[in-house]
């Protein structure tokens, strides 16, 4: 009971804190920094969700932009295409009011996450048969297929993409609230998984799949679950990106983006949630900070990346965590000194 | 308790087992001896569902388990200490044991009991619970692999060459413990190249040669057999 109460309080405090922060920052912050902040949040969600697949269960998916794209386009399709078709009949779906915006965003999020999660299920299935580099190619192939499809579907704008997506924050200044809510959700979800016995089974799949099988771990289920959860979160990132940066085009979801997200996970230290968060922040902020270098910017950026990988080949954090001990699970106790 | 009927296993077009028949009765220690490449590990993998036999059947307590997936077999009471131990090297000893008991993780009390039982069987592991398993010595790793399998409370424990790479004294220690485990009511199927030690603790044995069972007898007779002596006991 007491723990439940504490949880409820923690959740309330988080909500209120995020809400106030969102209000405050939106008014005070320079729009340019604001946009960088939003991108950071989106990429943290992407990196942390890919870390569930690659870092924790040890698969090698490098097509995360594909799921990001599915979420973004499905979410945007709701607000720009489907919602206008049904709003005449269901007037409570009207946008422009606080509750209308929230309702529409939630619908977009649900649709985006379900579609991306289903895509993750379909792409995750080959992971049962494909290993390592073959799986990598399959996932990259999936992302490319999505990219090419988007380029060629005219109803979603082809190469130009969709612009002027309603921000859904016309009232309330809630962009940061939503984005950092999902940042927190993806981090807490990772943490809960890693601290549970179930998380141990996820890690066992990374360590030695055959041994995991032999110990009674349903490795098929673990891998597909990781794919579905990871992709659904990437889908949420897509919905948020589409609605708060108000424009999407296939280019945003190209192979470069897939590689960028993969780099974040590797650079942070595969398996480390903290590492993913920090690496995502660094890789988004760094190119902005290097803007003064003008044309040499990307060269310096690449050199810095190489230096970071050379000095910390296991990633910034290895598999360590800050802020929560990796295993705080209740351990079976035994009498005597070993407990 | 366990019965293999005409079990045939292929890797691609290579036949690794040509229709073997074996049975293990409740409470027994049965050993399968054979040289490198005879198909011993293949048999274990087939029983535990890690590979599908091309034909033939596996029965466990009179139930056909030929196509049951590995995780369900562990729940049914078949667990193994695999060839090469395959402990989770980057996890702690404790986490390895916890994973071994994963199929019963909801039953806290049972896990606690099994945990205490395993640690009392292997006091050497008890002092190293928070150490990462990869830093254990070979013998300790083998103890951990057996302990991990015991955590699932198997009724049939299969071991694939537990003596591999261990000093004779360690092998003797581990085999003595296997005997204790057996006396606690666990039926054991022991795959070995170290025929001496295996036949010492087993009641019956099979000899496997290039995928076929060529001999089957109680251990006394096997130990006395000239062919076995020459081929496996190095006399
Ligand atoms: N994954 C595989 N792919 C192809 N052939 C295999 C595979 N695993 C085993 N084999 C072949 O099957 C045969 C039996 O192998 P198995 O591992 O069962 O032998 P074993 O009796 O356990 O030998 P050892 O004592 O060396 O462990 C061997 O000829 C081996 O080359
Ligand atoms: Mg073998």
């Amino acid at each position: 009971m007491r723990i439940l109460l504490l949880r409820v309080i923690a959740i309330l405090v988080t909500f209120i804190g995020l809400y106030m922060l969102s209000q405050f920052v939106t008014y005070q912050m320079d729009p340019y920094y604001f946009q960088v902040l939003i991108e950071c949040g989106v990429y943290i969600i992407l990196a942390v969700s890919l870390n569930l697949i690659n870092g924790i269960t040890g698969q090698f998916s490098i097509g995360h932009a594909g799921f990001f794209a599915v979420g973004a386009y499905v979410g945007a399709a709701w607000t720009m295409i489907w919602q206008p078709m049904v709003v005449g009949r269901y007037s409570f779906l009207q946008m422009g009011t606080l509750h209308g915006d929230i309702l529409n965003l939630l619908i977009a999020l649900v649709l985006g996450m379900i579609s991306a999660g289903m895509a993750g299920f379909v792409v995750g299935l080959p992971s049962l048969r494909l290993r390592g580099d073959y799986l990598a190619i399959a996932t990259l192939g999936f992302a490319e297929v999505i990219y090419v499809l988007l380029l060629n579907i005219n109803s979603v704008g082809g190469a130009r993409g969709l612009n002027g997506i309603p921000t859904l924050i016309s009232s309330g200044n809630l962009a940061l609230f939503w984005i950092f809510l999902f940042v927190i959700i993806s981090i807490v979800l990772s943490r809960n998984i890693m601290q549970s016995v179930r998380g141990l089974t996820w890690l066992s799949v990374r360590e030695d799949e055959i041994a995991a099988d032999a110990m009674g771990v349903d490795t098929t289920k673990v891998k597909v679950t990781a794919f579905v959860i990871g992709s659904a979160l990437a889908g949420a990132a897509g919905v948020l990106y589409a609605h708060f940066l108000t424009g999407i085009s296939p280019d945003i979801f190209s192979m470069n983006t897939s590689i960028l997200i993969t780099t974040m996970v590797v650079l942070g230290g595969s398996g480390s949630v903290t590492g993913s968060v920090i690496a995502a922040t660094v890789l988004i902020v760094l190119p902005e900070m290097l803007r003064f270098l003008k044309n040499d910017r990307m060269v310096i950026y690449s050199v810095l990346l190489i230096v970071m990988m050379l000095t910390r080949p296991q990633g910034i954090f290895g598999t360590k965590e800050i802020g929560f001990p990796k295993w705080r699970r209740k351990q079976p106790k035994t009498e005597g000194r070993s407990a | 308790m366990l019965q293999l009927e005409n079990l045939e296993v292929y890797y691609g077009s290579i036949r690794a087992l040509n229709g073997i028949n074996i049975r293990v009765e409740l409470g027994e220690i049965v050993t399968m001896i054979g040289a490198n490449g005879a198909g011993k590990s293949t048999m274990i993998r087939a029983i535990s569902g890690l590979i599908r036999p091309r034909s033939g059947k596996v029965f466990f307590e009179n139930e056909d388990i030929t196509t049951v997936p590995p995780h369900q077999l562990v729940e049914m009471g078949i667990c193994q200490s695999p060839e090469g131990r395959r402990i989770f090297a980057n996890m702690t000893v404790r986490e390895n044991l916890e994973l071994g008991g994963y199929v019963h993780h909801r039953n806290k009390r049972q896990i606690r009991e099994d945990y205490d039982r395993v640690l009392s069987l292997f006091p050497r592991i008890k002092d190293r619970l928070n150490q990462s398993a990869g830093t254990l010595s070979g013998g300790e790793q083998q103890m951990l692999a057996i302990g991990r399998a015991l955590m699932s409370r198997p009724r049939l424990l299969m071991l694939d060459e537990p003596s591999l790479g261990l000093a004779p004294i360690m092998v003797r220690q581990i085999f003595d413990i296997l005997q204790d485990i057996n006396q606690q009511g666990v039926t054991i199927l022991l795959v070995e190249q170290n025929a001496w030690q295996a036949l010492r603790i087993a009641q019956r044995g099979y000899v496997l040669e290039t995928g076929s069972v060529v001999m089957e007898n109680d251990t006394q007779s096997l130990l006395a057999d000239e062919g076995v002596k020459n081929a496996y006991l190095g006399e």
Side-chain angles (χ1 to χ4, degrees):
Chain A
M1 259 333 270
R2 203 197 213 136
I3 292 176
L4 190 69
L5 192 70
L6 279 177
R7 277 204 187 146
V8 170
I9 292 176
I11 291 172
L12 277 179
V13 168
T14 312
F15 265 73
I16 295 170
L18 271 179
Y19 176 77
M20 300 203 320
L21 191 77
S22 185
Q23 296 290 339
F24 178 75
V25 169
T26 311
Y27 285 124
Q28 302 293 323
M29 210 177 213
D30 178 285
Y32 165 71
Y33 290 121
F34 187 71
Q35 177 158 345
V36 175
L37 191 61
I38 284 186
E39 269 193 58
C40 271
V42 167
Y43 275 89
I44 290 174
I45 301 169
L46 289 169
V48 171
S49 60
L50 183 62
N51 184 55
L52 279 177
I53 303 172
N54 286 14
I56 301 181
T57 59
Q59 301 174 79
F60 197 41
S61 165
I62 55 174
H64 217 47
F67 306 112
F68 184 31
V70 169
Y73 271 85
V74 170
W78 166 256
T79 32
M80 293 189 73
I81 303 171
W82 300 326
Q83 190 267 2
M85 283 161 42
V86 296
V87 70
R89 242 183 314 150
Y90 305 101
S91 55
F92 60 89
L93 288 173
Q94 200 72 49
M95 294 177 205
T97 60
L98 185 60
H99 65 267
D101 279 1
I102 291 178
L103 182 62
N104 279 292
L105 186 60
L106 285 176
I107 293 173
L109 277 168
V110 168
L111 293 178
M113 289 177 77
I114 289 178
S115 327
M118 287 194 320
F121 181 77
V122 173
V123 177
L125 283 182
S127 77
L128 309 176
R129 317 197 30 168
L130 301 177
R131 244 126 267 216
D133 24 7
Y134 296 102
L135 176 63
I137 291 168
T139 53
L140 195 60
F142 159 76
E144 280 301 290
V145 167
I146 296 286
Y147 176 69
V148 172
L149 276 179
L150 293 177
L151 277 180
N152 290 293
I153 299 179
N154 287 326
S155 58
V156 291
R160 276 174 300 112
L162 292 170
N163 288 298
I165 302 168
T167 61
L168 295 182
I169 44 164
S170 48
S171 43
N173 302 312
L174 290 177
L176 286 185
F177 173 83
W178 286 107
I179 286 182
F180 283 88
L181 184 65
F182 271 87
V183 167
I184 291 172
I185 288 174
S186 48
I187 293 174
V188 169
L189 194 68
S190 301
R191 188 199 73 144
N192 285 357
I193 287 170
M194 289 178 78
Q195 288 183 350
S196 65
V197 183
R198 165 148 306 126
L200 207 49
T201 66
W202 287 36
L203 284 166
S204 76
V205 172
R206 173 177 82 183
E207 282 239 342
D208 186 334
E209 205 179 317
I210 292 175
D213 256 326
M215 288 309 114
V217 173
D218 188 346
T219 52
T220 305
K221 200 168 123 195
V222 167
K223 291 197 283 186
V224 173
T225 310
F227 251 103
V228 169
I229 296 181
S231 333
L233 283 173
V239 175
L240 297 171
Y241 188 96
H243 287 91
F244 299 141
L245 295 176
T246 72
I248 48 176
S249 61
D251 277 351
I252 298 170
F253 309 101
S254 68
M255 195 191 288
N256 283 343
T257 306
S258 285
I259 291 171
L260 178 62
I261 307 168
T262 312
T263 310
M264 289 167 175
V265 173
V266 174
L267 185 70
S270 283
S272 166
V273 181
T274 320
S276 297
V277 172
I278 293 183
T281 311
V282 168
L283 291 194
I284 294 299
V285 172
L286 196 60
E288 302 297 335
M289 283 170 52
L290 293 177
R291 269 189 197 284
F292 70 93
L293 290 169
K294 308 243 160 50
N295 292 337
D296 299 330
R297 176 168 81 116
M298 288 327 278
V299 177
I300 303 289
Y301 176 72
S302 313
V303 169
L304 282 176
L305 266 186
I306 293 170
V307 170
M308 279 191 262
M309 275 336 285
L310 285 178
T311 44
R312 297 281 303 174
Q314 70 279 53
I316 301 175
F317 274 85
T319 55
K320 293 193 191 63
E321 300 291 355
I322 291 183
F324 59 91
K326 199 159 130 208
W327 307 118
R328 214 173 37 197
R329 284 172 297 108
K330 279 200 199 109
Q331 314 278 12
K333 285 199 192 69
T334 179
E335 315 90 65
R337 62 206 220 167
S338 50
Chain B
M1 179 179 226
L2 179 78
Q3 239 169 315
L4 309 190
E5 281 181 8
N6 294 313
L7 200 68
E8 228 181 1
V9 179
Y10 282 75
Y11 293 105
S13 60
I14 304 167
R15 186 161 65 176
L17 288 178
N18 344 325
I20 61 166
N21 292 283
I22 74 163
R23 91 200 132 74
V24 179
E25 301 295 345
L26 185 70
E28 277 189 311
I29 299 183
V30 172
T31 183
M32 163 77 82
I33 57 181
N36 289 114
K40 307 182 297 296
S41 302
T42 304
M43 176 188 76
I44 300 271
R45 280 182 222 132
I47 297 171
S48 55
L50 294 172
I51 38 174
R52 277 281 143 79
R54 175 162 305 182
S55 67
K57 290 210 176 317
V58 184
F59 292 93
F60 180 63
E61 298 178 330
N62 299 320
E63 205 177 313
D64 184 349
I65 57 162
T66 320
T67 55
V68 176
H71 64 275
Q72 276 174 25
L73 291 176
V74 179
E75 279 167 40
M76 291 173 72
I78 305 180
C79 199
Q80 63 162 318
S81 158
E83 178 169 45
R85 305 173 195 129
R86 304 197 91 116
I87 53 160
F88 301 108
N90 294 317
M91 295 186 188
T92 66
V93 170
R94 192 196 300 267
E95 286 161 4
N96 269 271
L97 292 177
E98 227 177 306
L99 261 170
Y102 172 67
V103 291
H104 302 300
H105 73 275
R106 285 201 186 78
N107 188 341
K108 294 269 154 37
R109 172 190 297 184
Q110 177 176 334
I111 294 287
R112 166 97 51 109
E113 281 169 18
D114 289 347
Y115 190 68
D116 286 339
R117 180 168 73 119
V118 166
L119 294 185
S120 66
L121 280 168
F122 301 107
R124 286 180 69 153
I125 316 187
K126 191 169 176 175
D127 301 331
R128 296 171 170 78
L129 282 172
N130 296 317
Q131 201 168 316
S132 74
T135 63
L136 297 180
S137 77
E140 289 158 359
Q141 290 191 8
Q142 186 59 57
M143 292 178 178
L144 178 58
I146 299 171
R148 184 180 64 175
L150 285 175
M151 286 295 293
S152 69
R153 201 174 277 195
R155 278 171 292 146
L156 173 67
L157 174 65
M158 301 193 290
L159 302 117
D160 193 343
E161 298 203 40
S163 73
L164 197 73
L166 303 185
I169 185 159
M170 182 56 81
V171 175
R172 197 161 332 126
Q173 243 185 49
I174 287 182
F175 278 49
D176 285 344
I177 296 173
L178 289 181
Q179 238 168 350
D180 294 343
I181 293 170
N182 177 244
Q183 267 148 27
Q184 291 176 7
V186 182
T187 308
I188 291 179
L189 174 57
L190 171 64
V191 157
E192 262 299 345
Q193 283 196 54
N194 189 333
W196 250 124
Q197 288 293 337
L199 291 172
R200 179 172 70 86
I201 65 165
Q203 283 100 48
R204 289 190 306 115
Y206 291 85
V207 179
L208 192 66
E209 269 173 25
T210 54
S212 303
V213 173
V214 295
M215 209 182 288
E216 148 179 19
N217 219 327
D218 59 85
T219 42
Q220 251 59 42
S221 319
L222 286 175
L223 281 167
D225 188 276
E226 286 302 320
V228 173
K229 270 189 191 166
N230 291 332
Y232 302 104
L233 299 175
E235 281 182 15

